[in-house]
Amino acid sequence: MLYEFPKDFIWGCATASYQIEGAFNEDGKGPSIWDVFTHTPGNIIDGSNGDVACDHYHRYAEDVKLMETLNLKAYRFSISWPRIFPEGKGSVNKKGLDFYKRLVDALNSASIIPFATIYHWDLPQALEEKGGWADLDTSKYFADYSYVLFKELGDSIPFWITLNEPAVFTYLGYGIGVHAPGKKDSGLATKATYSALLAHGLAVEAYRSLGVKGQIGITLNLTPMHSASNKEEDILSARRMDLMWNRWFLDPIFKGSFPQEFIELLAKNGISFEVDSEHMKKISLKIDFLGVNYYTRNIVMYDPKVPLINARSIEPTTNKTEMGWEIYPEGLYELLTSIKRDYGNIPLYITENGSAFKDELIDEKVDDPEREDYLKRHFYQAYRAIKDGIDLKGYFVWSLMDNFEWAYGYTKRFGIVYVDYPTQKRIIKRSGYYYRKVIEYNGVEL
Ligand code: FCB
């Protein structure tokens, strides 16, 4: 049976600048924290970097054609801050801006709706040297950078996403150190969450001040946190994980305050957290939609060895993707339902969902039934949520094509299009042809 989606449902694919563009030092682009991080031995599992990646900077026209072949209605990409401002601030690098103008023109000519993410982790290195996200000034520079984008591209890009996954780039970048800039300090990470949220708010303010026609929101990675058992300590651990990863970002944006319970936990661990009420007003400015990135749930148990939250996720042994993430489609329904319950009926987009599997190119074909199955089951859960009255308006598969998967380098393939890196040839995978049919039927068959 065909489970049909609403008539104007937006089906798309997502990517991010550092993961696909390459051209890391061309046309006046400045270095980003990811250039520096990947050029430092030991940080990336296969020693690789994004210097060339999918060479999308030079192949964008071919890639837009690929999107047309796939029938995509929308494309979510990100803009590289150091292409626009090589030093993070100061004067605009026109050549960098021109690249995005060309890309957006190509999308609009192909009737593919552009969704632009203003920040998907490639902070200008010059700003990192002044303290990066741990410094409040970065929020102001981000707002200035956003303002330029709105002025230059606001008329041709109808959907804007301020930040991609602030929890990931702050906690992994400043707390655990497995992402750029590789710092390991919970105090810094906490500061970074605050500046990032403020940056988001200031960008929303800048957008409204210009009165451009379009919508603005933010993308959060949200993960249902399930307790490993009924033991009180596991239940509490799951709650802390939820506070740290989900509510720490949702609450300030939609309720105008950070969760007190977590502020107290920080204080107990010697991390002070000051909130300025003027900042809170900006952080909680009304947005037009929330972008949700969903990949898996976490099953959480008590672990006193983990600082601050005394909690860790249990790694699944079966039913998992190449990332080691459990395949749990029901979690998407649960998540969308809980957002409505706790924060209201906000217009939602799934801005990322997808999976990595071991893909092999055999006779110019890639047969990836696991990814097809993963997508199908998640689409169905999205369908259920819509039927229940959740205002879900679109769905972006991560990713359009295989790309540089951060600390995992090129060892994980998430694309519905295979990239043969030595030749840069793009080959649509079985899952890509499947997705094309889903879009054509505007529904999923089970
Ligand atoms: C998300 C990131 C995206 C990609 C996927 C697999 O956390 O936003 O860039 O790496 O995970």
Side-chain angles (χ1 to χ4, degrees):
M1 138 160 204
L2 178 73
Y3 296 95
E4 244 185 291
F5 279 67
K7 222 174 68 261
D8 47 0
F9 196 75
I10 294 179
W11 298 99
C13 280
T15 63
S17 48
Y18 188 73
Q19 295 179 276
I20 65 163
E21 284 178 0
F24 79 111
N25 60 0
E26 274 180 56
D27 289 342
K29 176 183 166 290
S32 81
I33 55 173
W34 273 94
D35 291 315
V36 174
F37 189 70
T38 56
H39 292 163
T40 310
N43 285 335
I44 308 300
I45 231 176
D46 58 357
S48 67
N49 56 54
D51 290 5
V52 177
C54 306
D55 196 30
H56 172 76
Y57 191 78
H58 301 113
R59 293 168 195 262
Y60 74 92
E62 177 196 339
D63 290 337
V64 172
K65 291 228 168 69
L66 197 58
M67 298 176 213
E68 284 189 270
T69 307
L70 290 169
N71 248 335
L72 300 192
K73 299 206 164 140
Y75 173 53
R76 174 179 177 235
F77 61 96
S78 82
I79 296 173
S80 161
W81 187 345
R83 277 198 203 287
I84 312 297
F85 287 102
E87 299 281 314
K89 59 191 176 82
S91 48
V92 173
N93 173 37
K94 207 177 149 309
K95 281 191 171 171
L97 196 57
D98 284 348
F99 166 67
Y100 296 103
K101 288 191 173 163
R102 291 197 298 276
L103 171 65
V104 170
D105 282 350
L107 290 169
N108 282 325
S109 315
S111 300
I112 296 169
I113 307 168
F115 275 62
T117 306
I118 302 173
Y119 183 76
H120 200 128
W121 307 357
D122 38 3
L123 185 74
Q125 174 65 17
L127 293 186
E128 182 52 40
E129 278 154 26
K130 292 161 59 56
W133 284 111
D135 189 305
L136 216 51
D137 283 347
T138 300
S139 326
K140 202 175 90 18
Y141 301 134
F142 178 78
D144 296 344
Y145 154 56
S146 302
Y147 186 87
V148 167
L149 296 184
F150 301 147
K151 267 194 101 138
E152 296 283 343
L153 294 159
D155 291 336
S156 42
I157 301 181
F159 292 90
W160 292 89
I161 293 162
T162 54
L163 303 176
N164 178 69
E165 302 189 347
V168 176
F169 75 75
T170 56
Y171 292 149
L172 270 53
Y174 293 85
I176 313 169
V178 296
H179 277 189
K183 302 221 162 114
K184 296 180 187 154
D185 179 328
S186 298
L188 282 187
T190 309
K191 280 202 181 120
T193 62
Y194 188 82
S195 329
L197 282 162
L198 180 60
H200 155 78
L202 294 175
V204 173
E205 183 180 55
Y207 190 69
R208 303 289 186 224
S209 78
L210 277 166
V212 261
K213 212 168 126 252
Q215 300 194 21
I216 191 161
I218 187 170
T219 282
L220 302 178
N221 56 301
L222 298 171
T223 312
M225 301 294 179
H226 292 173
S227 165
S229 79
N230 283 333
K231 278 193 245 155
E232 211 173 295
E233 56 187 22
D234 286 341
I235 294 172
L236 183 62
S237 301
R239 186 176 164 77
R240 286 177 170 172
M241 279 277 224
D242 183 43
L243 281 166
M244 175 174 171
W245 286 91
N246 301 325
R247 297 191 184 275
W248 190 253
F249 299 88
L250 286 164
D251 279 19
I253 294 169
F254 294 108
K255 295 186 170 167
S257 61
F258 284 88
Q260 192 54 33
E261 202 181 324
F262 203 72
I263 296 183
E264 280 159 23
L265 189 65
L266 288 170
K268 259 201 244 156
N269 285 269
I271 300 169
S272 66
F273 187 72
E274 305 272 322
V275 177
D276 176 318
S277 61
E278 285 307 307
H279 291 163
M280 284 321 291
K281 282 189 201 148
K282 314 274 186 206
I283 294 174
S284 58
L285 280 173
K286 192 177 172 315
I287 51 177
D288 302 307
F289 64 89
L290 171 67
V292 175
N293 290 357
Y294 174 81
Y295 288 93
T296 189
R297 70 165 163 178
N298 283 0
I299 297 178
V300 185
M301 67 178 279
Y302 174 66
D303 183 348
K305 288 192 295 298
V306 179
L308 191 66
I309 49 174
N310 297 155
R312 73 176 166 87
S313 304
I314 299 176
E315 298 202 358
T317 47
T318 54
N319 188 33
K320 54 180 182 170
T321 68
E322 269 292 293
M323 295 298 282
W325 299 343
E326 185 193 2
I327 301 170
Y328 188 68
E330 299 80 1
L332 179 59
Y333 174 83
E334 178 190 325
L335 178 65
L336 298 174
T337 314
S338 70
I339 295 171
K340 184 177 177 196
R341 183 193 62 215
D342 299 341
Y343 299 95
N345 204 11
I346 308 157
L348 301 175
Y349 289 88
I350 293 163
T351 39
E352 285 180 30
N353 171 249
S355 50
F357 288 105
K358 265 209 173 68
D359 298 316
E360 274 182 322
L361 183 61
I362 300 170
D363 295 335
E364 292 297 294
K365 285 200 175 94
V366 180
D367 196 30
D368 57 341
E370 305 96 333
R371 186 174 290 102
E372 175 176 328
D373 189 60
Y374 178 99
L375 290 174
K376 187 184 293 177
R377 292 167 60 199
H378 284 79
F379 294 159
Y380 175 64
Q381 296 298 327
Y383 168 87
R384 281 183 63 209
I386 295 170
K387 274 281 158 270
D388 280 4
I390 282 151
D391 196 9
L392 179 66
K393 296 188 168 303
Y395 203 120
F396 292 80
V397 170
W398 184 271
S399 177
L400 171 66
M401 56 188 158
D402 297 335
N403 57 50
F404 178 80
E405 180 47 38
W406 309 112
Y408 294 94
Y410 296 99
T411 65
K412 308 288 179 212
R413 292 180 178 269
F414 271 92
I416 57 170
V417 173
Y418 185 90
V419 176
D420 181 46
Y421 294 109
T423 60
Q424 287 294 350
K425 212 173 149 191
R426 279 82 161 125
I427 298 123
I428 299 178
K429 299 179 193 176
R430 168 176 162 164
S431 59
Y433 289 112
Y434 165 73
Y435 192 39
R436 183 166 80 172
K437 267 208 338 240
V438 169
I439 300 173
E440 189 188 324
Y441 295 162
N442 193 32
V444 54
E445 228 167 342
L446 285 186

